[in-house]
Amino acid sequence: MNRVTEPGAAADLTGDFIAAFGPQANAPLAPPAGFVRFIDAPGMVAYSRGGVAHGAAAGGTAWLGMADLVGSRFEDGTAAYANTPPQANWRGRFVQVLWQPGEDRAVALTDHFSTLSLYAFQHGDTLFLASDLRLLAALDACTREIDPVAVYHYLNFGCFPAPTTVVRGIHRVEPGTRLLWERGKLAFERYFIPEYPEDVAGADDALAAALRERIVASVHDYRPNEADAWGCFLSGGTDSSSIVTILSRQSGGRVRAFSIGFDEEGYDELGYAGIAAAACGAESITARVGRAQAIALVERVVAAYDQPFGNASAVPTLACADLAAEHGGTRTMVAGDGGDEIFGGNQRYAKDHVMETYYRLPRPVKAVGELVRRAAGGSRSHFVNRVENFFTRAALPNPDRFYTDDSFASDHYGELLESAFRAQVPHDSSLAWMRAVYALGGAAAPLHRIMRLDLLDAIAQNDLVKVHGACKARGISARFPYLDPDLVRYTGRLPARYKVRGTHKRYLFKRAMAGILPEAVIKKKKQGFGLPTAVWLRHDAAFQAMVREVLFDGRAHARGWFSVPFIEKLLAEHSDGSWDYSSEIWRLLVLELWLRKHLDGR
């Protein structure tokens, strides 16, 4: 069997595999339910379900994996077994495992941003590789011991950043990385890191035209085959709207655009999605998610992800995947993820620019800010708290300043975490992880360093995990034209001032999209794709009761990780409006539900 998808055709990226390598590879590995053994060779055995391909090169190097590539052949990746990975120049999504029958060696690679997960677990002289963490956690050899440092990362970031995972000893391979296992020794090496040479110059109009050409070409290259049932995520923001518009203007069938909204003010972008769809003639397919439906979807989110996933926007993403699957059996969705991180669209980039300006001020001037910060401390006013937060963060260098967006458990280390948990987790563990990622790559402008951090962190560890997990749960594959490596490399050549200029985000992108996107979409305030948990935690008794039932249950308390009085305090302060703790409460909720479903009692 050698199922390699032709360019443009829908690739099945919803399959799973587990493989074992080593002298005793067959002994410890039994077939998981629903899997079939599709490879059995000396020192190697593999089981799979769904669209997992495999084959062998003329030189004898064998391979297995999943891929949806633009302009490359999956089989050619076997060169990475012994040489510089050709995958560095591939475009698209892939995970690939390579070996030579009879050799005590294996190589495996994830794509540039780990859009498909790969997990590794070594027991004695046997290496196990799998596409889903739960396959490795189910092994008899795995103790299923929870990693407290990884849980601490989750509380800060809302996800488990590679290489850590919720289970101690199981590694998630990092983005753009080659795994090498030889004679029982495991090593990892990066083959791709975003770089920012800023070596493209020219007049603004000329650069905007060049960027427009690159964007249009990339989106066209990732267009699925018209013979397949496909569609686009359309949130109403500039990234998804630009993709829908570009695809609609290209010859071919009418583009279907799927959008999810909410009744709560400030969380619904269906109006902008409708403007974008109407302007380009796309077929707009919409639905709204209410509180009752969202609560029902929580259990499905817990089931869909192979680790606890604390980004609440997984709920509307799963609802959007449901909508697509129920309208014509959609098999492929095109998504706009990555646009913020390559064009300069995140609101916090503009805020960080202001903070960086403050940080570089003379010390006497900053002393005034410190006085304001101290005066604002301890207030229960949301506005005053934001003032204090600004001066606290602006006094820090990056990445420490950027980390304060994701430092909930660090900020409340002594209050939130019980002493036994703290004894296993150094206070700066998550900050140390972020500092290590921030240090990757060559020299770059301050803005580009945090954009690279976001690509390797927020995108690779969070957003792509979210979209893939939601789509996979409905048998749908996804494509990400704005994460095309060629486009990422090109935008890295554009100076930082073309991403954020003062407080204006997406400076060059918006000029490039003039005449493509409706003016209302270009000028709209960025909203995001969130769940109205903040509103429900303040005003919805049923949602509040569900959260309390889980977080204050005896099973949660028995773990001995978190202070019950402090969680009560979080709920109270969120309820009275002094601070928004909805994201943090959601993370605690999902963590507890996931552990009960997937690890407790196994």
Side-chain angles (χ1 to χ4, degrees):
M1 178 180 65
N2 185 347
R3 295 197 299 266
V4 181
T5 305
E6 294 300 321
D12 182 1
L13 300 180
T14 65
D16 280 302
F17 65 84
I18 180 169
F21 298 86
Q24 306 298 318
N26 282 277
L29 186 58
F35 283 64
V36 297
R37 182 157 65 180
F38 76 135
I39 299 174
D40 192 352
M44 190 271 186
V45 64
Y47 294 87
S48 75
R49 66 180 174 192
V52 180
H54 72 94
T61 301
W63 58 272
L64 69 84
M66 293 174 284
D68 185 12
L69 302 174
V70 175
S72 296
R73 297 194 323 148
F74 205 13
E75 301 96 318
D76 295 338
T78 55
Y81 184 75
N83 302 307
T84 301
Q87 288 88 344
N89 295 315
W90 283 4
R91 302 170 62 201
R93 305 180 63 191
F94 61 87
V95 59
Q96 190 169 31
V97 180
L98 313 168
W99 71 97
Q100 284 268 11
E103 290 190 9
D104 196 13
R105 172 182 168 86
V107 172
L109 303 96
T110 59
D111 62 46
H112 301 72
F113 298 106
S114 290
T115 69
L116 295 170
S117 291
L118 176 65
Y119 297 95
F121 171 65
Q122 187 165 359
H123 180 71
D125 59 0
T126 303
L127 171 70
F128 299 92
L129 298 175
S131 57
D132 188 302
L133 176 136
R134 291 167 293 191
L135 295 170
L136 299 181
L139 294 171
D140 290 339
C142 182
T143 62
R144 291 176 284 282
E145 180 183 353
I146 296 171
D147 184 345
V149 173
V151 170
Y152 186 63
H153 291 336
Y154 167 86
L155 295 172
N156 284 311
F157 303 134
C159 60
F160 288 82
T164 65
T165 71
V166 66
V167 178
R168 192 193 299 272
I170 297 179
H171 302 268
R172 182 174 180 242
V173 179
E174 294 173 281
T177 294
R178 178 170 67 167
L179 172 155
L180 301 101
W181 179 79
E182 190 164 14
R183 298 182 180 89
K185 293 184 178 180
L186 192 59
F188 303 89
E189 60 181 30
R190 294 257 190 179
Y191 68 81
F192 173 80
I193 296 172
E195 298 291 358
Y196 300 87
E198 297 194 15
D199 59 353
V200 171
D204 288 6
D205 288 344
L207 289 178
L211 179 60
R212 182 188 306 115
E213 183 178 338
R214 296 266 183 167
I215 290 171
V216 170
S218 181
V219 173
H220 285 179
D221 285 347
Y222 283 78
R223 183 188 186 103
N225 194 303
E226 295 305 321
D228 299 315
W230 65 277
C232 297
F233 288 100
L234 179 58
S235 68
T238 53
D239 292 328
S240 60
S241 296
S242 61
I243 288 174
V244 170
T245 302
I246 291 167
L247 291 174
S248 294
R249 290 186 174 185
Q250 186 186 21
S251 60
R254 191 181 185 198
V255 173
R256 298 185 303 158
F258 297 95
S259 308
I260 292 294
F262 302 95
D263 293 329
E264 286 76 11
E265 183 179 355
Y267 292 86
D268 185 79
E269 288 193 294
L270 287 183
Y272 286 105
I275 291 171
C280 65
E283 179 186 358
S284 179
I285 303 170
T286 67
R288 277 192 166 84
V289 176
R291 189 266 311 161
Q293 183 185 357
I295 291 177
L297 281 167
V298 172
E299 288 293 341
R300 288 185 52 211
V301 167
V302 170
Y305 293 90
D306 63 359
Q307 296 194 79
F309 187 69
N311 186 336
S313 64
V315 169
T317 305
L318 182 56
C320 202
D322 287 344
L323 187 65
E326 291 160 5
H327 282 76
T330 303
R331 295 183 59 198
T332 305
M333 289 284 280
V334 185
D337 296 82
D340 280 339
E341 291 74 19
I342 66 171
F343 301 128
N346 277 335
Q347 180 61 34
R348 60 181 184 169
Y349 297 158
K351 289 195 297 184
D352 193 80
H353 176 76
V354 175
M355 291 180 182
E356 180 71 16
T357 302
Y358 174 86
Y359 179 75
R360 294 176 182 273
L361 290 174
R363 185 168 297 179
V365 178
K366 289 194 289 186
V368 176
E370 175 62 15
L371 291 174
V372 174
R373 186 193 69 80
R374 290 180 180 177
S379 172
R380 293 184 68 83
S381 163
H382 186 71
F383 172 76
V384 175
N385 282 340
R386 289 177 65 87
V387 172
E388 178 193 11
N389 181 262
F390 172 84
F391 285 109
T392 299
R393 296 177 60 194
L396 299 172
N398 270 328
D400 299 38
R401 179 170 67 241
F402 214 57
Y403 173 67
T404 57
D405 262 350
D406 301 297
S407 56
F408 164 65
S410 294
D411 295 343
H412 304 287
Y413 182 80
E415 302 169 279
L416 169 67
L417 308 176
E418 297 287 11
S419 58
F421 192 92
R422 293 198 306 271
Q424 304 176 74
V425 181
H427 179 270
D428 286 341
S429 297
S430 296
L431 177 58
W433 180 88
M434 184 170 280
R435 285 172 174 168
V437 176
Y438 186 76
L440 293 172
L447 172 64
H448 280 153
R449 294 196 73 182
I450 59 176
M451 289 174 72
R452 174 164 56 203
L453 176 62
D454 262 351
L455 282 171
L456 298 176
D457 177 10
I459 285 292
Q461 316 291 348
N462 195 316
D463 289 354
L464 298 180
V465 171
K466 173 189 69 180
V467 176
H468 177 67
C471 287
K472 182 179 178 180
R474 291 309 307 257
I476 296 171
S477 298
R479 290 182 170 182
F480 306 100
Y482 286 159
L483 289 171
D484 177 75
D486 287 353
L487 182 60
V488 173
R489 291 187 183 99
Y490 178 76
T491 58
R493 300 178 62 195
L494 294 168
R497 66 180 181 276
Y498 288 110
K499 284 52 176 287
V500 176
R501 187 167 294 187
T503 58
H504 297 285
K505 307 181 298 296
R506 296 176 173 272
Y507 174 79
L508 196 65
F509 174 81
K510 288 183 177 180
R511 292 177 72 100
M513 291 297 104
I516 292 179
L517 285 177
E519 192 72 9
V521 173
I522 290 179
K523 291 185 175 180
K524 72 176 288 293
K525 183 179 179 181
K526 184 173 177 61
Q527 193 165 297
F529 191 45
L531 189 69
T533 49
V535 178
W536 298 340
L537 280 167
R538 288 195 180 105
H539 305 297
D540 192 292
F543 189 72
Q544 294 168 354
M546 186 270 285
V547 170
R548 286 182 168 277
E549 181 181 355
V550 173
L551 296 185
F552 300 131
D553 181 86
R555 287 168 290 181
H557 183 64
R559 299 190 197 282
W561 294 351
F562 311 130
S563 163
V564 172
F566 182 72
I567 296 176
E568 284 277 17
K569 179 184 174 184
L570 291 181
L571 290 167
E573 291 189 1
H574 180 87
S575 183
D576 68 23
S578 57
W579 201 253
D580 182 353
Y581 285 116
S582 56
S583 294
E584 292 78 11
I585 294 166
W586 180 267
R587 291 173 194 175
L588 292 168
L589 173 70
V590 171
L591 174 65
E592 177 59 29
L593 290 173
W594 192 95
L595 293 173
R596 292 181 189 180
K597 181 174 182 63
H598 296 292
L599 285 188
D600 287 357
R602 298 191 65 178

